[in-house]
Amino acid sequence: MCMSEEAKLLCRWLIAITIIFICFCLSFQNHKPKCYIADLYVPALNTYTKYSNNTRANTFIFFDLKLENVMPFNGLRYDNVNLTFSYNYGAHFLPIAHYTVHGFYQGMAKTAHKRDVTNTHGFPWVDAFDTVSNGSMAVFRVELSAKVRSKQYFWYATKHRLTVQGDMEVGSSGLGEHHRAIRLK
Ligand SMILES: *[C@@H]1O[C@H](CO)[C@@H](O)[C@H](O)[C@H]1NC(C)=O
Ligand SMILES: *[C@@H]1O[C@H](CO)[C@@H](O)[C@H](O)[C@H]1NC(C)=O
Ligand SMILES: *[C@@H]1O[C@H](CO)[C@@H](O)[C@H](O)[C@H]1NC(C)=O
């Protein structure tokens, strides 16, 4: 192709302006983050531990919450993130633990892991232990409730309410089945 110097320069300018314009538009996104339970560990259901009497007294649940900011040009501000853990007991889910992740800021396209442990109250341990001993799965539900807003240059977009949940199956090792992350939807 035979272009004059002026035409080439104009062409470059148009490309640069288009790229800047696309980035500018993208930076006004206000998408909710993707939430996962990457891992769950319930020590009391680990039937491979020798002293199961001791571990049954262990009333804790270990978890790894993964939060993914999917926006390439926006940070995310989280208010407190509420987590509720429930156990599938008979026909309904019985809440056994609450946990709050303190509000925080997440940079563009970043992934955050919140790994912690929470105590339980009123967990029917014997039922859960019998279930996994039998080769069945104990099912835990994790519900997440939070408010988030994306950062756009020097200000924040309006708050979005985020309420998602997912079920994690736990087997006789006390670990989430197949070590697979569960998407909360
Ligand atoms: C373990 O638990 C069983 C029943 O749950 C009880 O009979 C036994 O005495 C306990 N053993 C110890 C060492 O506490
Ligand atoms: C364990 O499995 C047997 C046979 O599959 C069943 O009859 C029994 O009810 C099960 N017990 C529990 C606690 O799930
Ligand atoms: C989180 O839990 C606290 C205390 O129970 C409550 O005041 C707050 O409204 C909850 N936030 C969300 C987003 O559900």
Side-chain angles (χ1 to χ4, degrees), residues 80 82 100 145-147 161:
N80 281 355
N82 292 345
T100 301
S145 166
K147 283 179 185 155
R161 197 184 172 87

Side-chain angles (χ1 to χ4, degrees), residues 1-2 4 19 35 66 68 75 117-118 121 125 150 163 166 172:
M1 227 179 7
C2 174
S4 71
I19 290 170
C35 312
K66 182 177 145 192
E68 224 178 81
V117 52
T118 180
H121 300 280
W125 291 106
S150 71
T163 42
S172 56

Side-chain angles (χ1 to χ4, degrees), residues 26-148:
L26 281 176
S27 64
F28 287 103
Q29 288 182 320
N30 194 6
H31 290 312
K32 293 174 183 181
K34 285 185 180 170
C35 312
Y36 303 85
I37 292 295
D39 236 326
L40 199 70
Y41 179 49
V42 187
L45 301 189
N46 185 346
T47 55
Y48 301 112
T49 330
K50 264 188 186 161
Y51 308 103
S52 63
N53 279 21
N54 288 341
T55 54
R56 234 193 251 202
N58 185 335
T59 58
F60 295 96
I61 291 181
F62 294 76
F63 63 90
D64 178 1
L65 172 71
K66 182 177 145 192
L67 300 166
E68 224 178 81
N69 178 3
V70 296
M71 296 178 293
F73 297 108
N74 297 93
L76 258 185
R77 164 69 59 189
Y78 295 76
D79 285 356
N80 281 355
V81 177
N82 292 345
L83 293 177
T84 302
F85 296 83
S86 311
Y87 169 67
N88 186 3
Y89 190 38
H92 69 290
F93 278 89
L94 182 72
I96 51 170
H98 294 284
Y99 184 90
T100 301
V101 178
H102 289 297
F104 68 103
Y105 177 78
Q106 182 173 41
M108 311 172 187
K110 287 278 195 311
T111 296
H113 280 272
K114 301 290 173 184
R115 299 183 184 92
D116 210 344
V117 52
T118 180
N119 207 348
T120 61
H121 300 280
F123 185 177
W125 291 106
V126 175
D127 181 82
F129 194 82
D130 287 349
T131 301
V132 298
S133 302
N134 222 3
S136 304
M137 292 290 162
V139 181
F140 292 83
R141 176 165 291 173
V142 182
E143 292 165 275
L144 181 155
S145 166
K147 283 179 185 155
V148 294

